[in-house]
Amino acid sequence: MKRILILLLTLPAFASAQLRWHLSETHNQGLPNGVKVYETTDSLDGKAFRAFYLEADLKDPQLEISVREGKGKRYTPAQYDSIEGPNVVAVMNTTFFSFTTNRSLNLVVHEGKVVDVNPKSVKNKYFTRSAFGLDRKGRPDIAWVYNVGKKEVPYVYEVPNTDTTNQPGKKGAHKWKMREAVGGGPILVQNGQPYITAAEEGMGGTLLAFHPRTAIGYTADHKLIMMVIEGRNKGVAEGAIFPQMAKIFTDLHCVEAMNMDGGGSSALFVNGKNTIKTSDGSQRPVPAVLMIKRKTP
């Protein structure tokens, strides 16, 4: 952790001005009461910027928030929407993945069952990777996770693994009993403060790269924040870097937040409509998404 903290102290003051968000005129019509969509086109540290976030009330009994995965296939967020039917409110991309196997390269849990796992090692070093989860009572958590044993049981750690020469085990950890969960990385916010663990998750090389981004966080008053940042759109939206994202989430009063797969994968599909302009020109098929649905009576 010292390496990241020292680096952040030596960086210029990113995101010094708080962004102004407003309700999206395009994306709020017909949404459940517990869901709102905000957008901004404020410049970010002098660069063109465009982003959206969806705020969902985790206490709303009419909402169902869960993972959908392609079972060895990849689908666009719009296709997941179509497959699920008319009750879908929103779909967002999540995990990093393999174009060869079409499988997630991060933890995926659906209905309490482990579908995919975080990488066991990166270049012969062992890292605990971050994941977002909801337990059976709908309570959110973002944590450093490693899958342990033949059954790939997710274990959560209070701090990221620093002894990268040894595989993390059960010592100093406890089972992470989530109903739904998706991984990515790195963590951006912990305890309401910027806390970026890119190096500790084996992802240090992307710290200061401007890209389209997908990220997730939650507030102390039970609001889920699902965010997409447009990028690679010169003069319109340049993307963001991790320190800027951490500042954005703390400005939104998030207790915890983490990064997901970005770049051409970044997409938030709300009520049958795109939010950002995807950098690939169209939505990229992905193996796992986070979905919000209206519960049926």
Side-chain angles (χ1 to χ4, degrees), residues 147-281:
N147 295 87
V148 178
K150 292 182 179 180
K151 294 185 177 181
E152 305 286 11
V153 177
Y155 274 76
V156 64
Y157 302 78
E158 295 300 320
V159 295
N161 182 47
T162 55
D163 182 8
T164 57
T165 60
N166 290 310
Q167 192 168 349
K170 299 177 183 179
K171 185 177 180 180
H174 61 271
K175 289 182 181 179
W176 202 46
K177 298 179 180 180
M178 294 292 119
R179 174 179 54 84
E180 306 288 324
V182 282
I187 280 180
L188 302 170
V189 174
Q190 283 279 288
N191 299 317
Q193 298 296 320
Y195 195 73
I196 303 170
T197 55
E200 289 78 0
E201 297 186 44
M203 308 175 72
T206 61
L207 182 68
L208 296 181
F210 285 85
H211 291 297
R213 301 289 187 180
T214 299
I216 193 165
Y218 66 90
T219 67
D221 59 347
H222 312 293
K223 299 296 193 301
L224 181 67
I225 305 295
M226 298 165 60
M227 184 177 295
V228 287
I229 297 172
E230 190 171 320
R232 300 174 187 166
N233 189 355
K234 191 171 179 60
V236 177
E238 303 287 346
I241 59 177
F242 293 159
Q244 291 173 328
M245 295 168 69
K247 173 68 163 53
I248 291 168
F249 275 98
T250 56
D251 284 346
L252 293 175
H253 309 293
C254 283
V255 177
E256 295 184 320
M258 63 172 284
N259 180 65
M260 295 289 193
D261 185 20
S265 298
S266 285
L268 176 62
F269 195 63
V270 181
N271 237 4
K273 298 176 182 177
N274 289 319
T275 50
I276 63 169
K277 178 182 178 181
T278 57
S279 65
D280 282 1

Side-chain angles (χ1 to χ4, degrees), residues 1-266:
M1 184 58 59
K2 289 182 180 179
R3 179 167 56 172
I4 288 294
L5 293 178
I6 291 170
L7 178 57
L8 289 177
L9 289 173
T10 60
L11 292 173
F14 289 112
S16 55
Q18 188 166 336
L19 296 170
R20 295 168 298 177
W21 297 89
H22 59 86
L23 286 169
S24 172
E25 295 181 5
T26 306
H27 297 91
N28 282 287
Q29 296 179 5
L31 292 182
N33 291 334
V35 177
K36 294 181 176 63
V37 178
Y38 295 86
E39 64 177 297
T40 185
T41 54
D42 278 0
S43 64
L44 185 63
D45 300 315
K47 289 182 177 288
F49 186 75
R50 186 168 185 253
F52 291 80
Y53 76 83
L54 180 149
E55 178 188 275
D57 185 354
L58 292 170
K59 293 292 186 179
D60 188 337
Q62 301 304 313
L63 298 179
E64 173 190 315
I65 303 171
S66 59
V67 174
R68 292 294 184 271
E69 54 93 20
K71 299 179 181 179
K73 296 182 179 180
R74 292 189 291 125
Y75 302 100
T76 66
Q79 287 173 324
Y80 281 105
D81 181 306
S82 178
I83 291 168
E84 287 294 317
N87 290 323
V88 177
V89 175
V91 185
M92 188 181 80
N93 75 291
T94 55
T95 59
F96 296 93
F97 63 91
S98 166
F99 284 92
T100 302
T101 66
N102 294 327
R103 303 295 311 197
S104 292
L105 298 175
N106 300 104
L107 178 70
V108 177
V109 176
H110 179 50
E111 295 180 347
K113 180 182 178 181
V114 175
V115 177
D116 284 302
V117 300
N118 277 336
K120 290 294 183 181
S121 64
V122 179
K123 295 181 179 179
N124 297 319
K125 293 184 177 181
Y126 300 98
F127 297 94
T128 47
R129 282 279 176 90
S130 49
F132 164 81
L134 293 166
D135 69 12
R136 295 196 177 278
K137 293 184 178 181
R139 295 174 297 194
D141 190 28
I142 290 175
W144 297 282
V145 177
Y146 198 85
N147 295 87
V148 178
K150 292 182 179 180
K151 294 185 177 181
E152 305 286 11
V153 177
Y155 274 76
V156 64
Y157 302 78
E158 295 300 320
V159 295
N161 182 47
T162 55
D163 182 8
T164 57
T165 60
N166 290 310
Q167 192 168 349
K170 299 177 183 179
K171 185 177 180 180
H174 61 271
K175 289 182 181 179
W176 202 46
K177 298 179 180 180
M178 294 292 119
R179 174 179 54 84
E180 306 288 324
V182 282
I187 280 180
L188 302 170
V189 174
Q190 283 279 288
N191 299 317
Q193 298 296 320
Y195 195 73
I196 303 170
T197 55
E200 289 78 0
E201 297 186 44
M203 308 175 72
T206 61
L207 182 68
L208 296 181
F210 285 85
H211 291 297
R213 301 289 187 180
T214 299
I216 193 165
Y218 66 90
T219 67
D221 59 347
H222 312 293
K223 299 296 193 301
L224 181 67
I225 305 295
M226 298 165 60
M227 184 177 295
V228 287
I229 297 172
E230 190 171 320
R232 300 174 187 166
N233 189 355
K234 191 171 179 60
V236 177
E238 303 287 346
I241 59 177
F242 293 159
Q244 291 173 328
M245 295 168 69
K247 173 68 163 53
I248 291 168
F249 275 98
T250 56
D251 284 346
L252 293 175
H253 309 293
C254 283
V255 177
E256 295 184 320
M258 63 172 284
N259 180 65
M260 295 289 193
D261 185 20
S265 298
S266 285

